[in-house]
Coordinates of all heavy atoms in Angstrom, one line a residue:
Y18 N 6.5 18.4 -15.3 CA 6.2 18.5 -16.7 C 5.3 19.7 -16.9 O 5.5 20.5 -17.9 CB 5.5 17.2 -17.2 CG 6.4 16.0 -17.4 CD1 5.9 14.7 -17.3 CD2 7.7 16.2 -17.7 CE1 6.7 13.7 -17.5 CE2 8.6 15.2 -18.0 CZ 8.2 13.9 -17.8 OH 8.9 12.8 -18.0
V19 N 4.4 19.9 -16.0 CA 3.5 21.0 -16.1 C 4.2 22.4 -16.0 O 4.0 23.3 -16.8 CB 2.4 21.1 -15.0 CG1 1.6 22.4 -15.0 CG2 1.4 19.8 -15.3
I20 N 5.2 22.4 -15.0 CA 6.0 23.6 -14.8 C 6.9 23.9 -16.1 O 7.0 25.0 -16.6 CB 6.8 23.5 -13.5 CG1 6.0 23.5 -12.3 CG2 7.9 24.7 -13.5 CD1 6.7 23.2 -11.0
M21 N 7.5 22.9 -16.6 CA 8.3 23.0 -17.8 C 7.5 23.5 -19.0 O 7.9 24.3 -19.7 CB 9.0 21.7 -18.1 CG 10.1 21.3 -17.1 SD 10.9 19.7 -17.5 CE 11.6 20.1 -19.1
L22 N 6.3 22.8 -19.0 CA 5.4 23.2 -20.2 C 5.0 24.7 -20.0 O 4.9 25.5 -21.0 CB 4.2 22.3 -20.3 CG 3.2 22.6 -21.4 CD1 3.9 22.4 -22.8 CD2 2.0 21.6 -21.3
T23 N 4.7 25.1 -18.8 CA 4.2 26.5 -18.5 C 5.4 27.5 -18.9 O 5.1 28.5 -19.6 CB 3.9 26.7 -17.1 OG1 2.7 25.7 -16.7 CG2 3.4 28.1 -16.8
L24 N 6.6 27.2 -18.5 CA 7.8 28.0 -18.8 C 8.0 28.0 -20.3 O 8.3 29.1 -20.8 CB 9.1 27.4 -18.1 CG 9.0 27.6 -16.5 CD1 10.3 27.0 -16.0 CD2 9.0 29.1 -16.1
L25 N 7.8 27.0 -21.0 CA 7.9 26.9 -22.5 C 6.9 27.8 -23.1 O 7.2 28.5 -24.1 CB 7.9 25.5 -22.9 CG 8.1 25.3 -24.5 CD1 9.4 25.8 -24.9 CD2 7.8 23.8 -24.9
C26 N 5.6 27.7 -22.7 CA 4.6 28.5 -23.2 C 4.9 30.1 -22.9 O 4.6 30.9 -23.9 CB 3.2 28.2 -22.6 SG 2.7 26.5 -23.1
V27 N 5.4 30.4 -21.8 CA 5.7 31.8 -21.4 C 6.9 32.2 -22.3 O 6.8 33.4 -22.9 CB 6.1 32.0 -20.0 CG1 6.7 33.3 -19.7 CG2 4.9 31.7 -19.1
A28 N 7.9 31.5 -22.6 CA 8.9 31.7 -23.4 C 8.5 32.0 -24.9 O 8.9 32.9 -25.5 CB 10.0 30.7 -23.4
I29 N 7.6 31.0 -25.5 CA 7.0 31.2 -26.8 C 6.3 32.4 -26.9 O 6.4 33.2 -27.9 CB 6.3 29.9 -27.1 CG1 7.2 28.7 -27.2 CG2 5.4 30.1 -28.4 CD1 6.5 27.4 -27.4
T30 N 5.4 32.7 -25.8 CA 4.6 33.9 -25.9 C 5.4 35.2 -25.9 O 5.1 36.2 -26.7 CB 3.7 34.0 -24.7 OG1 2.8 32.8 -24.7 CG2 2.8 35.2 -24.7

Side-chain angles (χ1 to χ4, degrees):
Y18 285 153
V19 170
I20 292 174
M21 291 179 62
L22 182 62
T23 302
L24 292 176
L25 181 62
C26 291
V27 170
I29 292 174
T30 303

